[in-house]
């Protein structure tokens, strides 16, 4: 127990450093950023975004987060009879619908800008159809929710939640196909070949030496 604090500050076996090394690394990073001109600062701060051929992979996280949280919160609000929960869920639905518009638009632009073969094209077509379906359902549910003043009850609410659940299923299927294109076929990925001699292996040796 007495060795716990020094371990956290100076690091240990597989952590590659503790708080001290993390702070030093952060300071070094900002020092390096300050040496760039105005054009290179963004690339230094956001190297991942700067390396992307399109922003569709960046935008897609927003409708997934908004719409899935909307569904969970709306179901919970219905079961717990908490209308204020459902009011928050409604706001998330609207945000998810707006985010889906930008995401689907960026997806169509990306489809026409990245090279891909016939096998990937078939997957991409299904991915696009699912994306359009999610956007359509999100828009439909948003209009319904707004038209009802945010309050839907009885059988209509059950049907509303069924459609919301279907939206989440379609969204998950679309996300799966997106992952398939990236992680199996490498669509829009600029892979860097790493020599076998340079492969970094993480060690996971955990000491269980507790002093009382």
């Amino acid at each position: 127990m007495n060795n716990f604090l020094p371990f956290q500050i100076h690091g240990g076996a597989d952590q590659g450093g503790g708080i001290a090394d993390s702070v030093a690394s952060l300071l070094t990073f900002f020092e390096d950023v300050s040496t760039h001109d105005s054009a290179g600062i963004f690339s230094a701060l956001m190297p991942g975004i700067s390396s992307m051929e399109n922003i569709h992979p960046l935008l897609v996280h927003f409708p997934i987060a908004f719409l899935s949280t909307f569904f969970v919160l709306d179901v919970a609000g219905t079961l717990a009879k908490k209308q204020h929960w459902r009011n928050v869920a409604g706001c998330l639905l609207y945000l998810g619908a707006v985010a889906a518009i930008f995401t689907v638009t960026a997806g169509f632009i990306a489809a026409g800008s990245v090279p891909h073969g016939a096998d990937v094209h078939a997957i991409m077509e299904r991915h696009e159809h699912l994306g359009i379906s999610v956007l359509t359902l999100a828009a439909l549910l948003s209009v319904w929710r707004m038209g009802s003043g945010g309050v839907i009850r009885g059988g209509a609410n059950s049907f509303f939640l069924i459609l919301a659940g279907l939206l989440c299923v379609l969204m998950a299927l679309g996300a799966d196909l997106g992952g398939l294109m990236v992680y199996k076929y490498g669509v829009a990925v600029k892979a860097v070949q790493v020599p076998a001699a340079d492969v970094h292996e993480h060690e996971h040796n955990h000491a269980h030496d507790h002093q009382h």
Side-chain angles (χ1 to χ4, degrees), residues 111-164:
S113 65
V114 295
H116 56 274
D119 50 352
V120 172
H121 186 75
I123 299 173
M124 192 175 290
E125 287 281 319
R126 295 201 306 272
H127 181 70
E128 289 176 354
H129 294 159
L130 287 168
I132 294 171
S133 298
V134 168
L135 173 57
T136 302
L137 272 175
L140 174 64
L141 294 176
S142 295
V143 171
W144 185 356
R145 189 72 158 240
M146 285 189 219
S148 66
V151 180
I152 305 174
R153 295 189 175 92
N157 185 59
S158 297
F159 185 56
F160 181 92
L161 292 177
I162 289 173
L163 291 179

